[in-house]
Every structure is written in C-alpha cells, then in structure tokens.
Amino acid sequence: MHPRDITIIVASSVLPSHPNTKIIDQTVDSIRKHLPDNEIIMQIDGLRIEQADRKKDYDEYKNRILWKCLHEWKNVLPIIFTEHSHQTNMMKNTISLIKTSLLLYVEADAPLSTNAEIDWQKCTDMIEYEKANTIRFHFETKIPDEHNYLMFGLEDGFMKTSQWSQRPHLSRVSYYKKTVLPNAWEKNFIEDGFHGYVIQDCKINGENGWNNHKLWIYHPEGSIKRSEHLDCYRDWE
C-alpha cells in the first residue's frame, strides 16, 4: 500500500459558526498539508427537526461548500444529505464510493495537526502487512493516565489499544464494511456504539478479541499529538 491508496472522509454537520466556513477550511487545509492530492469525500449531514431554525445559515454554508468544491478545492466530492443521518448512516450510504483500500476519517472540526509529521508510509505498511486495521492520531501530547488500562504496549512507534475513537484515524475500508458499520448504532456517532463493542470483544476474548480489530495509536517519540479539536463555539466572524 501507498499513501495514495487513502481516501479521506470528512463528516460535516451544522455548527454554531455556520454559514462561516473557517472551521472546514482549516480542516481541509490540514488534510492537504499531509495528503495534497488524495480524494476527499465530504459528507454534509441534514438537519435535525429541532435545528430547523438553523436552516437558512446551514443552507448558505452548503452553498459555500459547493462553490469551494467547484472553484477552490481540488478533488473534493460533496455528498449532501437532505435528512439527518448522523455519522453511521452517512458512512453506510457513502462507503461504496470509496475506491481505495484505505480511508482516513476526519470530523469537520477535528483537523490533523500541521506542525508535526506523520509517517504515512509506515502507517500504510502496518495495515498492508496485517499488523493493524486502524491507526488513530491522538489529540493530546500523551495518553492520559486514566486511559492506560485500555493500552497494551508500545511497538515500534505504535501503541496497541482497545480504545476506539472517532478522532482522525486511518482504517482499512473492508474493516469498516465488515465490522465497524454493522456494529455501530443507527443514526448516531459511530464511536458511541462501537467503542463499547471493541472493549467488550477484547475483554471477553482477550488476544483473539483484539485481533478482530487490531487497533493502534500513532505513538512516535516525544509528543504524540497529531490532531486538533477546534472550538465550534468560537466567534469566527
């Protein structure tokens, strides 16, 4: 495998800052720093019924996104959902569009860090040689002590873990199709249902359970921070 074998999925939904696009701009820019030419599939969710008062702003946000896809960004495919579908159902309805063997999942307000390198070839090799199904890029400089019980040892710059998170992660598309999506809750955050499923599998089945998932955290020497979380409530105007 090669970094060109990665399709990026960006999941976007209504934010208080919309119609301003600075958050999604920063996220797309961060992706392009690491993977300049790869296809991005941008999932743009519909509104919940209780969010009807945001329709005008969100429609304008979507119009701006479509303009950017046509005139500013390169190789970005927008998929607009007319009804609220959430992460799980958006993935179920767009995963067939992925033509590569790997996906990089990035939430719209959780960009990759741009001040630290990621060895993408090393990551894709981990997956190609069946050491990993998923590699997550941490948003803190180190793993918090309270999460240590979910960690199973450091190997060559990767931390073995049973902790699933929807923070930016590189994953095998076939794993998403066969394992992640069938065990994620409908119309919900993927993490909400799947996080507990993985932990339970590892707890009940031990090493065999972990081998069903092969989860790792990218863990180079020094700071392991390789992703961010933008403040969605910041005044971007």
Side-chain angles (χ1 to χ4, degrees):
M1 292 179 182
H2 187 275
R4 64 173 170 265
D5 297 317
I6 301 169
T7 297
I8 301 97
I9 299 294
V10 176
S12 179
S13 58
V14 68
L15 297 176
S17 58
H18 292 160
N20 196 302
T21 63
K22 286 191 177 181
I23 287 178
I24 194 70
D25 287 336
Q26 185 171 335
T27 297
V28 171
D29 287 348
S30 78
I31 293 166
R32 287 303 183 222
K33 181 184 184 298
H34 289 272
L35 300 166
D37 301 313
N38 296 52
E39 182 176 32
I40 295 173
I41 297 176
M42 188 174 293
Q43 304 166 339
I44 305 170
D45 203 0
L47 286 172
R48 300 175 186 267
I49 294 173
E50 62 270 24
Q51 296 170 324
D53 63 317
R54 299 302 318 283
K55 185 177 187 304
K56 182 179 178 181
D57 285 341
Y58 197 47
D59 284 348
E60 176 58 24
Y61 168 77
K62 289 186 282 188
N63 287 337
R64 295 181 188 185
I65 292 297
L66 293 175
W67 188 93
K68 287 174 177 288
C69 291
L70 285 171
H71 302 290
E72 182 177 327
W73 296 331
K74 182 179 74 172
N75 203 15
V76 179
L77 174 65
I79 306 295
I80 295 179
F81 290 80
T82 57
E83 297 181 356
H84 177 67
S85 301
H86 223 317
Q87 290 181 353
T88 299
N89 290 68
M90 287 197 296
M91 275 300 298
K92 286 182 176 181
N93 283 286
T94 57
I95 198 164
S96 63
L97 300 174
I98 301 174
K99 305 307 179 187
T100 56
S101 55
L102 302 175
L103 67 85
L104 173 66
Y105 192 98
V106 181
E107 294 171 310
D109 59 350
L112 298 171
S113 298
T114 57
N115 59 354
E117 297 297 321
I118 294 173
D119 189 337
W120 293 101
Q121 189 60 63
K122 187 174 183 179
C123 291
T124 58
D125 286 347
M126 278 279 287
I127 296 177
E128 179 174 9
Y129 298 118
E130 299 188 351
K131 285 278 291 181
N133 282 329
T134 299
I135 299 167
R136 175 158 48 90
F137 303 104
H138 215 271
F139 74 102
E140 295 179 281
T141 58
K142 65 177 184 177
I143 294 168
D145 291 342
E146 58 267 28
H147 293 170
N148 283 339
Y149 76 101
L150 299 170
M151 307 299 153
F152 306 124
L154 190 61
E155 297 182 26
D156 191 27
F158 297 90
M159 177 65 75
K160 189 175 183 180
T161 182
S162 63
Q163 183 188 41
W164 178 271
S165 169
Q166 217 57 29
R167 297 287 183 176
H169 58 274
L170 182 68
S171 192
R172 194 187 299 271
V173 173
S174 60
Y175 172 68
Y176 249 80
K177 288 180 176 178
K178 295 176 183 177
T179 306
V180 178
L181 294 178
N183 294 291
W185 295 343
E186 288 285 302
K187 290 191 174 182
N188 214 312
F189 290 108
I190 292 171
E191 177 181 341
D192 281 4
F194 197 61
H195 171 78
Y197 177 84
V198 176
I199 290 176
Q200 194 70 3
D201 200 359
C202 295
K203 185 180 294 185
I204 293 173
N205 299 304
E207 188 70 15
N208 288 334
W210 184 85
N211 283 328
N212 291 330
H213 306 286
K214 297 180 180 178
L215 303 184
W216 300 84
I217 295 171
Y218 189 67
H219 201 293
E221 290 186 7
S223 172
I224 66 171
K225 182 180 175 66
R226 291 299 186 278
S227 67
E228 312 289 336
H229 185 251
L230 304 181
D231 182 357
C232 300
Y233 291 87
R234 177 181 170 185
D235 181 6
W236 286 96
E237 293 298 332

